[in-house]
Amino acid sequence: MAETDIARRVDELERRLARLEADRRLDDDIAELPVVVDSFAGETMLEVTEAASRFGLSEDTIRFWARTYNCGKKDVVTGRWLVSVERIKARINSRKRR
């Protein structure tokens, strides 16, 4: 085998080793990140306008409930409120029992 072939293979192996080391460091960094649990996981989410129309409530009421009674969350991408159908229904039912 020619010396240049050996040098090329050594260079390639060094590049692969560097990528593997970088991947390992990335995996270690990811493992150290805190786990964020979405308390709305599995729930049906609607935008405020859709929820207001569906439940016959004002958009302001839906937003207020989202903030005050943990019925919704702000979408990190759009900045709009999303509300949980299940939690809005529960809130409506709790008002009817009074």
Side-chain angles (χ1 to χ4, degrees):
M1 190 177 289
E3 222 175 276
T4 56
D5 286 340
I6 292 173
R8 248 189 314 241
R9 287 184 179 193
V10 167
D11 287 344
E12 177 60 27
L13 288 173
E14 286 175 344
R15 281 192 296 277
R16 287 182 183 181
L17 184 60
R19 278 194 303 255
L20 287 171
E21 180 61 24
D23 287 348
R24 186 196 60 76
R25 280 194 306 268
L26 181 60
D27 288 344
D28 290 347
D29 290 346
I30 289 171
E32 292 176 12
L33 292 174
V35 176
V36 177
V37 178
D38 184 358
S39 64
F40 293 93
E43 296 184 33
T44 304
M45 303 297 283
L46 299 175
E47 286 195 2
V48 170
T49 54
E50 195 175 349
S53 173
R54 181 171 177 173
F55 295 110
L57 298 166
S58 74
E59 291 180 22
D60 289 337
T61 298
I62 297 292
R63 276 190 213 91
F64 177 77
W65 288 0
R67 284 190 310 270
T68 308
Y69 299 108
N70 195 31
C71 292
K73 63 180 180 177
K74 271 203 174 181
D75 186 305
V76 293
V77 176
T78 65
R80 294 176 178 238
W81 280 97
L82 298 174
V83 294
S84 163
V85 170
E86 295 82 0
R87 296 181 192 202
I88 294 294
K89 283 181 182 178
R91 181 76 190 136
I92 289 169
N93 289 335
S94 73
R95 288 178 58 194
K96 288 180 181 176
R97 283 185 241 142
R98 291 182 191 177

Coordinates of all heavy atoms in Angstrom, one line a residue:
M1 N 0.9 -1.2 0.0 CA 0.0 0.0 0.0 C 0.9 1.2 0.0 O 1.9 1.3 0.7 CB -0.9 0.0 1.2 CG -2.0 1.0 1.2 SD -3.1 0.9 2.6 CE -4.0 -0.5 2.3
A2 N 0.5 2.2 -0.8 CA 1.3 3.4 -0.9 C 1.2 4.3 0.3 O 0.2 4.2 1.0 CB 0.9 4.2 -2.2
E3 N 2.3 5.0 0.5 CA 2.3 5.9 1.7 C 1.2 6.9 1.7 O 0.6 7.2 2.7 CB 3.7 6.6 1.7 CG 4.3 6.7 3.1 CD 5.7 7.3 3.1 OE1 6.6 6.5 2.8 OE2 5.7 8.5 3.3
T4 N 0.8 7.4 0.5 CA -0.2 8.4 0.4 C -1.6 7.8 0.7 O -2.4 8.5 1.3 CB -0.3 9.0 -1.0 OG1 -0.5 8.0 -2.0 CG2 0.9 9.9 -1.3
D5 N -1.8 6.5 0.4 CA -3.1 5.9 0.7 C -3.2 5.7 2.2 O -4.2 5.9 2.8 CB -3.1 4.5 0.1 CG -3.4 4.6 -1.4 OD1 -3.9 5.6 -1.9 OD2 -3.2 3.6 -2.1
I6 N -2.1 5.3 2.9 CA -2.1 5.2 4.3 C -2.3 6.5 5.0 O -3.1 6.6 5.9 CB -0.7 4.6 4.8 CG1 -0.6 3.1 4.3 CG2 -0.6 4.6 6.3 CD1 0.8 2.5 4.5
A7 N -1.7 7.6 4.5 CA -1.9 8.9 5.1 C -3.4 9.3 4.9 O -4.0 9.9 5.8 CB -1.0 9.9 4.4
R8 N -3.9 9.1 3.7 CA -5.3 9.4 3.5 C -6.3 8.6 4.5 O -7.2 9.2 5.0 CB -5.7 9.1 2.1 CG -6.0 10.3 1.3 CD -6.6 10.0 -0.1 NE -5.8 8.9 -0.7 CZ -5.1 9.0 -1.8 NH1 -5.2 10.0 -2.6 NH2 -4.4 7.9 -2.3
R9 N -6.0 7.4 4.6 CA -6.8 6.5 5.5 C -6.7 7.0 7.0 O -7.7 7.1 7.7 CB -6.5 5.1 5.4 CG -7.0 4.5 4.1 CD -6.7 3.0 4.1 NE -7.2 2.5 2.8 CZ -7.3 1.2 2.6 NH1 -7.0 0.3 3.5 NH2 -7.8 0.8 1.4
V10 N -5.5 7.4 7.4 CA -5.3 7.9 8.8 C -6.1 9.2 8.9 O -6.7 9.4 10.0 CB -3.8 8.0 9.1 CG1 -3.6 8.9 10.3 CG2 -3.1 6.7 9.2
D11 N -6.0 10.1 7.9 CA -6.7 11.3 8.0 C -8.2 11.1 8.1 O -8.9 11.7 9.0 CB -6.5 12.2 6.8 CG -5.1 12.8 6.8 OD1 -4.5 12.8 7.9 OD2 -4.7 13.3 5.7
E12 N -8.8 10.1 7.3 CA -10.2 9.8 7.4 C -10.6 9.2 8.8 O -11.6 9.6 9.3 CB -10.5 8.8 6.3 CG -12.0 8.4 6.3 CD -13.0 9.5 6.1 OE1 -12.7 10.5 5.5 OE2 -14.1 9.3 6.6
L13 N -9.7 8.3 9.3 CA -10.0 7.8 10.6 C -10.0 8.8 11.7 O -10.8 8.8 12.6 CB -9.0 6.6 10.9 CG -9.2 5.4 10.1 CD1 -8.0 4.4 10.3 CD2 -10.5 4.7 10.4
E14 N -9.1 9.8 11.6 CA -9.0 10.9 12.6 C -10.2 11.7 12.5 O -10.8 12.2 13.5 CB -7.7 11.7 12.4 CG -6.5 11.0 12.8 CD -5.2 11.8 12.5 OE1 -5.2 12.7 11.7 OE2 -4.2 11.4 13.1
R15 N -10.7 12.0 11.3 CA -12.0 12.8 11.1 C -13.2 12.0 11.7 O -14.0 12.6 12.4 CB -12.2 13.1 9.6 CG -11.4 14.2 9.1 CD -11.9 14.7 7.7 NE -11.8 13.7 6.7 CZ -10.7 13.5 6.0 NH1 -9.6 14.2 6.2 NH2 -10.6 12.5 5.1
R16 N -13.2 10.7 11.5 CA -14.3 9.9 12.0 C -14.3 9.9 13.5 O -15.3 10.0 14.2 CB -14.3 8.5 11.5 CG -14.7 8.4 10.1 CD -14.7 7.0 9.6 NE -15.0 6.8 8.2 CZ -15.1 5.7 7.6 NH1 -14.8 4.5 8.2 NH2 -15.4 5.6 6.3
L17 N -13.1 9.8 14.1 CA -12.9 9.8 15.5 C -13.3 11.1 16.1 O -14.0 11.2 17.2 CB -11.4 9.4 15.9 CG -11.1 9.3 17.3 CD1 -11.9 8.2 18.0 CD2 -9.6 9.0 17.5
A18 N -12.9 12.2 15.5 CA -13.3 13.5 16.0 C -14.8 13.7 16.0 O -15.4 14.2 16.9 CB -12.7 14.6 15.1
R19 N -15.5 13.2 14.9 CA -17.0 13.2 14.8 C -17.6 12.4 15.9 O -18.6 12.8 16.6 CB -17.5 12.8 13.5 CG -17.4 13.8 12.4 CD -18.3 13.4 11.2 NE -17.8 12.2 10.6 CZ -17.1 12.0 9.5 NH1 -16.8 13.0 8.8 NH2 -16.8 10.8 9.1
L20 N -17.1 11.2 16.2 CA -17.6 10.4 17.3 C -17.4 11.1 18.6 O -18.3 11.0 19.5 CB -16.9 9.0 17.3 CG -17.3 8.1 16.1 CD1 -16.3 6.9 16.1 CD2 -18.7 7.6 16.3
E21 N -16.3 11.7 18.8 CA -16.0 12.4 20.1 C -17.0 13.6 20.3 O -17.6 13.8 21.3 CB -14.6 12.9 20.2 CG -14.2 13.6 21.4 CD -14.4 12.8 22.7 OE1 -14.3 11.6 22.7 OE2 -14.6 13.4 23.8
A22 N -17.2 14.3 19.2 CA -18.2 15.4 19.2 C -19.6 14.9 19.5 O -20.3 15.5 20.3 CB -18.1 16.2 17.9
D23 N -20.0 13.8 18.9 CA -21.3 13.2 19.2 C -21.4 12.8 20.6 O -22.5 13.0 21.2 CB -21.6 12.0 18.2 CG -21.8 12.4 16.8 OD1 -22.0 13.6 16.5 OD2 -21.8 11.5 15.9
R24 N -20.4 12.2 21.2 CA -20.4 11.8 22.6 C -20.6 12.9 23.5 O -21.3 12.9 24.4 CB -19.1 11.0 22.9 CG -19.2 10.4 24.3 CD -17.8 10.0 24.8 NE -16.9 11.0 24.9 CZ -16.9 12.0 25.9 NH1 -17.8 12.0 26.8 NH2 -15.9 12.9 25.9
R25 N -19.8 14.0 23.2 CA -20.0 15.2 24.0 C -21.4 15.8 23.9 O -21.9 16.3 24.9 CB -18.9 16.3 23.6 CG -17.5 16.0 24.2 CD -16.6 17.2 24.0 NE -16.5 17.7 22.7 CZ -15.6 17.4 21.8 NH1 -14.7 16.5 22.1 NH2 -15.6 17.9 20.5
L26 N -21.9 15.8 22.7 CA -23.3 16.3 22.5 C -24.3 15.4 23.3 O -25.2 16.0 24.0 CB -23.7 16.3 21.0 CG -25.0 16.8 20.7 CD1 -25.2 18.2 21.1 CD2 -25.3 16.7 19.2
D27 N -24.1 14.1 23.3 CA -25.0 13.2 24.0 C -24.9 13.5 25.5 O -25.9 13.5 26.3 CB -24.6 11.7 23.8 CG -25.0 11.3 22.4 OD1 -25.9 12.0 21.8 OD2 -24.6 10.2 22.0
D28 N -23.6 13.8 26.0 CA -23.5 14.1 27.4 C -24.2 15.4 27.8 O -24.8 15.5 28.8 CB -22.0 14.2 27.8 CG -21.3 12.9 27.7 OD1 -21.9 11.8 27.7 OD2 -20.0 12.9 27.7
D29 N -24.0 16.4 26.9 CA -24.7 17.7 27.1 C -26.2 17.5 27.1 O -26.9 18.1 28.0 CB -24.3 18.7 26.0 CG -22.9 19.2 26.1 OD1 -22.2 18.9 27.1 OD2 -22.4 19.7 25.1
I30 N -26.8 16.7 26.2 CA -28.2 16.5 26.2 C -28.7 15.8 27.5 O -29.7 16.1 28.0 CB -28.6 15.7 24.9 CG1 -28.4 16.6 23.7 CG2 -30.0 15.2 25.0 CD1 -28.6 15.9 22.4
A31 N -27.9 14.9 27.9 CA -28.3 14.1 29.1 C -28.3 15.0 30.4 O -29.1 14.7 31.3 CB -27.3 13.0 29.4
E32 N -27.6 16.1 30.4 CA -27.6 17.0 31.5 C -28.7 18.0 31.5 O -28.9 18.7 32.5 CB -26.2 17.7 31.5 CG -25.1 16.9 31.9 CD -23.7 17.6 31.8 OE1 -23.7 18.8 31.8 OE2 -22.7 16.9 31.9
L33 N -29.4 18.1 30.3 CA -30.5 19.1 30.2 C -31.7 18.6 31.1 O -31.9 17.5 31.2 CB -31.0 19.2 28.8 CG -30.0 19.8 27.8 CD1 -30.6 19.7 26.4 CD2 -29.7 21.3 28.2
P34 N -32.3 19.6 31.7 CA -33.5 19.2 32.6 C -34.6 18.7 31.7 O -34.8 19.2 30.5 CB -33.9 20.5 33.2 CG -33.3 21.6 32.4 CD -32.1 21.0 31.7
V35 N -35.4 17.8 32.2 CA -36.5 17.2 31.4 C -37.7 18.1 31.6 O -38.0 18.5 32.8 CB -36.8 15.8 31.9 CG1 -38.1 15.3 31.2 CG2 -35.7 14.9 31.7
V36 N -38.3 18.6 30.5 CA -39.4 19.5 30.6 C -40.7 18.7 30.4 O -40.8 18.0 29.3 CB -39.3 20.6 29.6 CG1 -40.6 21.5 29.6 CG2 -38.1 21.4 29.8
V37 N -41.5 18.7 31.3 CA -42.8 17.9 31.2 C -43.9 18.8 30.8 O -44.1 19.8 31.4 CB -43.1 17.2 32.5 CG1 -44.4 16.4 32.4 CG2 -42.0 16.3 33.0
D38 N -44.6 18.5 29.7 CA -45.7 19.3 29.2 C -46.9 18.8 30.0 O -47.4 17.7 29.8 CB -45.9 19.1 27.7 CG -47.0 19.9 27.2 OD1 -47.7 20.7 27.9 OD2 -47.2 19.9 26.0
S39 N -47.4 19.6 30.9 CA -48.6 19.3 31.7 C -49.9 19.1 30.9 O -50.9 18.7 31.3 CB -48.8 20.3 32.8 OG -49.1 21.5 32.3
F40 N -49.8 19.5 29.6 CA -50.9 19.4 28.7 C -50.8 18.3 27.7 O -51.6 18.1 26.8 CB -51.1 20.7 27.9 CG -51.5 21.9 28.8 CD1 -50.6 22.8 29.3 CD2 -52.9 22.1 29.1 CE1 -51.0 23.8 30.1 CE2 -53.3 23.2 29.9 CZ -52.3 24.0 30.4
A41 N -49.8 17.4 27.9 CA -49.6 16.3 27.0 C -50.8 15.4 26.9 O -51.4 15.1 28.0 CB -48.4 15.5 27.5
G42 N -51.2 15.1 25.7 CA -52.3 14.2 25.5 C -53.7 14.9 25.5 O -54.7 14.3 25.3
E43 N -53.7 16.2 25.8 CA -55.0 16.9 25.8 C -55.2 17.6 24.5 O -54.3 18.0 23.8 CB -55.0 18.0 27.0 CG -54.9 17.4 28.3 CD -55.0 18.4 29.4 OE1 -55.7 19.4 29.3 OE2 -54.3 18.2 30.5
T44 N -56.5 17.8 24.1 CA -56.8 18.4 22.9 C -56.7 19.9 23.1 O -57.3 20.5 24.0 CB -58.3 18.1 22.5 OG1 -58.3 16.7 22.4 CG2 -58.6 18.7 21.2
M45 N -55.9 20.6 22.3 CA -55.7 22.0 22.5 C -56.3 22.8 21.3 O -56.2 22.4 20.2 CB -54.2 22.3 22.5 CG -53.4 21.6 23.6 SD -53.9 22.0 25.3 CE -53.1 23.5 25.5
L46 N -56.9 24.0 21.6 CA -57.5 24.8 20.6 C -56.9 26.2 20.8 O -56.6 26.6 21.9 CB -59.0 24.9 20.8 CG -59.8 23.6 20.7 CD1 -61.3 23.9 21.1 CD2 -59.7 23.1 19.3
E47 N -56.9 27.0 19.7 CA -56.6 28.4 19.8 C -57.8 29.1 20.4 O -58.9 28.6 20.4 CB -56.3 29.0 18.4 CG -55.0 28.6 17.9 CD -54.5 29.4 16.7 OE1 -55.2 30.4 16.3 OE2 -53.4 29.1 16.2
V48 N -57.6 30.3 21.0 CA -58.6 31.0 21.8 C -59.8 31.3 20.9 O -60.9 31.1 21.4 CB -58.0 32.3 22.3 CG1 -59.0 33.2 22.9 CG2 -56.9 32.0 23.3
T49 N -59.7 31.7 19.7 CA -60.8 32.1 18.9 C -61.7 30.8 18.7 O -62.9 30.9 18.7 CB -60.4 32.7 17.5 OG1 -59.5 31.8 16.9 CG2 -59.8 34.0 17.7
E50 N -61.1 29.7 18.4 CA -61.8 28.5 18.2 C -62.5 28.0 19.4 O -63.7 27.6 19.4 CB -60.8 27.4 17.7 CG -61.4 26.2 17.1 CD -60.4 25.2 16.5 OE1 -59.2 25.6 16.4 OE2 -60.8 24.1 16.2
A51 N -61.8 28.1 20.6 CA -62.4 27.7 21.9 C -63.6 28.6 22.2 O -64.6 28.1 22.7 CB -61.4 27.7 23.0
A52 N -63.4 29.9 22.0 CA -64.5 30.9 22.3 C -65.7 30.5 21.5 O -66.9 30.5 22.0 CB -64.0 32.3 22.0
S53 N -65.6 30.3 20.2 CA -66.7 29.9 19.4 C -67.3 28.6 19.8 O -68.5 28.5 19.9 CB -66.2 29.8 17.9 OG -67.2 29.4 17.1
R54 N -66.5 27.6 20.1 CA -67.0 26.3 20.4 C -67.8 26.3 21.7 O -68.8 25.6 21.9 CB -65.8 25.3 20.6 CG -66.2 23.9 20.9 CD -65.0 23.0 20.8 NE -65.3 21.7 21.2 CZ -64.5 20.7 21.1 NH1 -63.4 20.8 20.5 NH2 -64.9 19.5 21.4
F55 N -67.3 27.1 22.7 CA -68.0 27.1 24.0 C -68.9 28.2 24.3 O -69.5 28.4 25.3 CB -66.9 27.0 25.1 CG -66.1 25.7 25.1 CD1 -64.8 25.7 24.7 CD2 -66.7 24.5 25.4 CE1 -64.1 24.5 24.7 CE2 -66.0 23.3 25.4 CZ -64.7 23.3 25.0
G56 N -69.0 29.1 23.3 CA -69.9 30.3 23.4 C -69.5 31.3 24.5 O -70.3 31.9 25.2
L57 N -68.2 31.4 24.6 CA -67.6 32.4 25.6 C -66.8 33.4 24.9 O -66.4 33.2 23.7 CB -66.7 31.6 26.6 CG -67.4 30.6 27.4 CD1 -66.3 29.7 28.1 CD2 -68.3 31.2 28.5
S58 N -66.5 34.5 25.5 CA -65.7 35.6 24.9 C -64.2 35.1 24.8 O -63.8 34.3 25.7 CB -65.8 36.9 25.6 OG -65.1 36.9 26.8
E59 N -63.5 35.7 23.9 CA -62.1 35.4 23.8 C -61.3 35.8 25.1 O -60.4 35.2 25.5 CB -61.5 36.0 22.5 CG -62.0 35.4 21.3 CD -61.4 36.0 20.0 OE1 -60.3 36.6 20.1 OE2 -62.0 35.8 19.0
D60 N -61.8 37.0 25.6 CA -61.1 37.5 26.8 C -61.3 36.5 28.0 O -60.4 36.3 28.8 CB -61.7 38.9 27.2 CG -61.3 40.0 26.2 OD1 -60.2 39.8 25.6 OD2 -61.9 41.0 26.2
T61 N -62.5 35.9 28.1 CA -62.8 35.0 29.2 C -61.9 33.7 29.0 O -61.3 33.3 30.0 CB -64.2 34.5 29.2 OG1 -65.1 35.7 29.4 CG2 -64.5 33.4 30.2
I62 N -61.8 33.3 27.8 CA -60.9 32.1 27.5 C -59.5 32.4 27.9 O -58.8 31.6 28.5 CB -61.0 31.7 26.0 CG1 -62.4 31.2 25.7 CG2 -60.0 30.6 25.7 CD1 -62.9 29.9 26.3
R63 N -59.0 33.6 27.5 CA -57.6 33.9 27.8 C -57.4 34.1 29.3 O -56.4 33.6 29.9 CB -57.2 35.3 27.1 CG -56.7 35.1 25.7 CD -56.2 36.4 25.1 NE -56.5 36.5 23.7 CZ -57.5 37.0 23.2 NH1 -58.4 37.6 23.9 NH2 -57.7 37.0 21.9
F64 N -58.4 34.7 30.0 CA -58.3 34.8 31.4 C -58.2 33.5 32.1 O -57.4 33.3 33.0 CB -59.5 35.6 31.9 CG -59.6 35.8 33.4 CD1 -58.8 36.7 34.1 CD2 -60.5 35.0 34.2 CE1 -58.8 36.8 35.5 CE2 -60.5 35.1 35.6 CZ -59.7 36.0 36.2
W65 N -59.1 32.6 31.7 CA -59.1 31.2 32.3 C -57.7 30.5 32.0 O -57.2 29.8 32.8 CB -60.2 30.4 31.7 CG -61.6 30.8 32.3 CD1 -61.9 31.8 33.2 CD2 -62.8 30.2 32.0 NE1 -63.2 31.8 33.4 CE2 -63.8 30.8 32.7 CE3 -63.2 29.1 31.1 CZ2 -65.2 30.5 32.6 CZ3 -64.5 28.8 31.0 CH2 -65.5 29.5 31.8
A66 N -57.2 30.7 30.8 CA -55.9 30.1 30.4 C -54.8 30.6 31.4 O -54.0 29.7 31.9 CB -55.6 30.4 29.0
R67 N -54.8 31.9 31.7 CA -53.8 32.4 32.6 C -54.0 32.1 34.0 O -53.2 31.7 34.7 CB -53.7 33.9 32.4 CG -53.1 34.5 31.2 CD -52.9 36.0 31.3 NE -54.1 36.7 31.6 CZ -55.0 37.2 30.8 NH1 -54.8 37.0 29.5 NH2 -56.0 37.8 31.2
T68 N -55.3 32.3 34.4 CA -55.6 32.2 35.9 C -55.9 30.8 36.4 O -55.5 30.5 37.5 CB -56.8 33.1 36.1 OG1 -56.6 34.4 35.6 CG2 -57.1 33.3 37.6
Y69 N -56.5 30.0 35.6 CA -57.0 28.7 36.1 C -56.2 27.5 35.4 O -56.7 26.4 35.4 CB -58.5 28.5 35.9 CG -59.3 29.5 36.6 CD1 -59.9 30.6 36.0 CD2 -59.4 29.5 38.0 CE1 -60.7 31.5 36.7 CE2 -60.1 30.4 38.7 CZ -60.7 31.4 38.1 OH -61.5 32.3 38.8
N70 N -55.0 27.9 34.8 CA -54.2 26.8 34.2 C -55.0 26.0 33.2 O -54.8 24.8 33.1 CB -53.6 25.9 35.3 CG -52.4 25.1 34.7 OD1 -51.7 25.5 33.8 ND2 -52.3 23.9 35.3
C71 N -55.8 26.7 32.4 CA -56.5 26.0 31.3 C -55.8 26.1 30.0 O -56.3 25.5 29.0 CB -57.9 26.7 31.1 SG -59.0 26.4 32.5
G72 N -54.7 26.8 29.9 CA -54.0 26.9 28.7 C -52.5 27.3 28.8 O -52.0 27.5 29.9
K73 N -51.9 27.4 27.7 CA -50.5 27.8 27.7 C -50.2 28.6 26.4 O -51.0 28.5 25.4 CB -49.6 26.6 27.7 CG -49.7 25.7 26.5 CD -48.8 24.5 26.5 CE -49.0 23.6 25.3 NZ -48.1 22.5 25.3
K74 N -49.2 29.4 26.4 CA -48.8 30.2 25.2 C -47.9 29.3 24.4 O -47.0 28.7 24.8 CB -48.0 31.4 25.6 CG -48.9 32.6 25.8 CD -48.2 33.9 25.6 CE -49.2 35.0 25.7 NZ -48.5 36.3 25.5
D75 N -48.2 29.3 23.1 CA -47.4 28.5 22.1 C -46.1 29.2 22.0 O -46.1 30.4 21.7 CB -48.2 28.5 20.8 CG -47.5 27.6 19.7 OD1 -46.3 27.8 19.5 OD2 -48.1 26.7 19.2
V76 N -45.0 28.5 22.1 CA -43.7 29.2 22.1 C -43.3 29.7 20.7 O -42.5 30.6 20.5 CB -42.6 28.2 22.6 CG1 -42.7 28.0 24.1 CG2 -42.5 26.9 21.8
V77 N -43.9 29.1 19.7 CA -43.6 29.5 18.3 C -44.4 30.7 17.9 O -43.9 31.7 17.4 CB -43.9 28.3 17.3 CG1 -43.7 28.7 15.9 CG2 -43.0 27.1 17.6
T78 N -45.7 30.6 18.1 CA -46.6 31.7 17.6 C -46.9 32.8 18.6 O -47.3 33.9 18.3 CB -48.0 31.1 17.2 OG1 -48.7 30.6 18.3 CG2 -47.8 30.1 16.1
G79 N -46.7 32.5 19.9 CA -47.0 33.4 21.0 C -48.5 33.5 21.3 O -48.9 34.3 22.1
R80 N -49.3 32.7 20.6 CA -50.7 32.7 20.9 C -51.1 31.7 22.0 O -50.4 30.7 22.2 CB -51.5 32.2 19.6 CG -51.3 33.2 18.5 CD -52.0 32.7 17.2 NE -51.9 33.7 16.2 CZ -53.0 34.2 15.5 NH1 -54.2 33.8 15.9 NH2 -52.8 35.0 14.6
W81 N -52.2 32.0 22.6 CA -52.7 31.1 23.7 C -53.4 29.8 23.0 O -54.1 30.0 22.1 CB -53.7 31.8 24.6 CG -53.1 32.6 25.6 CD1 -52.9 34.0 25.5 CD2 -52.6 32.2 26.9 NE1 -52.3 34.4 26.7 CE2 -52.1 33.3 27.5 CE3 -52.4 31.0 27.5 CZ2 -51.5 33.3 28.8 CZ3 -51.9 30.9 28.7 CH2 -51.4 32.1 29.4
L82 N -53.1 28.7 23.6 CA -53.7 27.4 23.3 C -54.4 27.0 24.6 O -53.8 27.1 25.7 CB -52.7 26.4 22.8 CG -52.0 26.7 21.6 CD1 -50.9 25.6 21.3 CD2 -52.9 26.8 20.4
V83 N -55.6 26.5 24.5 CA -56.4 26.1 25.7 C -56.8 24.6 25.5 O -57.0 24.1 24.4 CB -57.6 27.0 25.9 CG1 -57.2 28.4 26.3 CG2 -58.6 27.0 24.8
S84 N -56.9 24.0 26.7 CA -57.2 22.6 26.8 C -58.8 22.5 26.7 O -59.4 23.1 27.6 CB -56.7 22.0 28.0 OG -57.3 20.8 28.3
V85 N -59.3 21.7 25.8 CA -60.7 21.4 25.7 C -61.2 20.8 27.1 O -62.2 21.3 27.6 CB -61.0 20.5 24.6 CG1 -62.5 20.1 24.6 CG2 -60.7 21.2 23.2
E86 N -60.5 19.9 27.6 CA -60.8 19.2 28.8 C -60.9 20.1 30.0 O -61.8 20.1 30.8 CB -59.9 18.0 29.1 CG -59.9 16.9 28.1 CD -59.1 17.2 26.8 OE1 -58.4 18.2 26.7 OE2 -59.1 16.3 25.9
R87 N -59.9 21.0 30.1 CA -59.9 22.0 31.2 C -60.9 23.0 31.1 O -61.5 23.5 32.1 CB -58.5 22.5 31.4 CG -57.4 21.5 31.7 CD -56.1 22.0 31.9 NE -55.1 20.9 31.9 CZ -53.9 21.0 32.4 NH1 -53.5 22.2 33.0 NH2 -53.1 20.0 32.4
I88 N -61.2 23.5 29.9 CA -62.3 24.5 29.7 C -63.6 23.9 30.1 O -64.4 24.5 30.8 CB -62.3 25.0 28.3 CG1 -61.0 25.8 28.0 CG2 -63.5 25.9 28.0 CD1 -60.9 27.1 28.8
K89 N -63.8 22.6 29.6 CA -65.1 21.9 30.0 C -65.2 21.8 31.5 O -66.3 22.1 32.1 CB -65.1 20.6 29.4 CG -65.5 20.5 27.9 CD -65.5 19.1 27.4 CE -65.8 19.0 25.9 NZ -65.8 17.6 25.4
A90 N -64.1 21.4 32.2 CA -64.2 21.3 33.6 C -64.4 22.6 34.3 O -65.2 22.7 35.3 CB -62.8 20.7 34.1
R91 N -63.9 23.7 33.8 CA -64.1 25.0 34.3 C -65.6 25.4 34.1 O -66.2 26.0 35.1 CB -63.2 26.0 33.6 CG -63.3 27.4 34.1 CD -62.6 27.6 35.5 NE -63.0 28.9 36.0 CZ -63.4 29.1 37.2 NH1 -63.4 28.2 38.1 NH2 -63.7 30.3 37.6
I92 N -66.1 25.2 33.0 CA -67.5 25.5 32.7 C -68.4 24.7 33.7 O -69.3 25.2 34.3 CB -67.9 25.2 31.3 CG1 -67.3 26.2 30.3 CG2 -69.4 25.2 31.1 CD1 -67.3 25.9 28.9
N93 N -68.1 23.4 33.9 CA -68.9 22.6 34.8 C -68.8 23.0 36.2 O -69.8 22.9 37.0 CB -68.5 21.1 34.6 CG -69.0 20.5 33.3 OD1 -69.9 21.0 32.7 ND2 -68.3 19.5 32.8
S94 N -67.6 23.5 36.6 CA -67.4 24.0 38.0 C -68.3 25.2 38.2 O -68.7 25.5 39.3 CB -66.0 24.2 38.3 OG -65.5 25.4 37.7
R95 N -68.4 26.0 37.2 CA -69.2 27.3 37.4 C -70.7 26.9 37.5 O -71.5 27.6 38.2 CB -69.0 28.2 36.2 CG -67.7 28.8 36.1 CD -67.5 29.7 34.9 NE -68.5 30.7 34.8 CZ -68.7 31.4 33.7 NH1 -68.0 31.2 32.7 NH2 -69.7 32.3 33.7
K96 N -71.2 25.9 36.8 CA -72.6 25.5 36.8 C -73.0 24.9 38.2 O -74.1 25.0 38.6 CB -72.9 24.4 35.7 CG -72.8 25.0 34.4 CD -73.1 24.0 33.3 CE -73.1 24.5 31.9 NZ -73.3 23.5 30.9
R97 N -72.0 24.3 38.9 CA -72.3 23.7 40.2 C -72.5 24.7 41.3 O -73.0 24.4 42.4 CB -71.2 22.7 40.6 CG -71.3 21.4 39.8 CD -70.3 20.5 40.3 NE -69.4 20.2 39.2 CZ -68.1 20.0 39.2 NH1 -67.5 20.1 40.3 NH2 -67.4 19.8 38.1
R98 N -72.2 25.9 41.1 CA -72.3 27.0 42.1 C -73.7 27.4 42.4 O -74.6 27.4 41.7 CB -71.4 28.2 41.8 CG -70.0 27.9 41.8 CD -69.2 29.1 41.5 NE -67.8 28.8 41.3 CZ -66.9 29.6 40.9 NH1 -67.2 30.9 40.7 NH2 -65.7 29.3 40.8

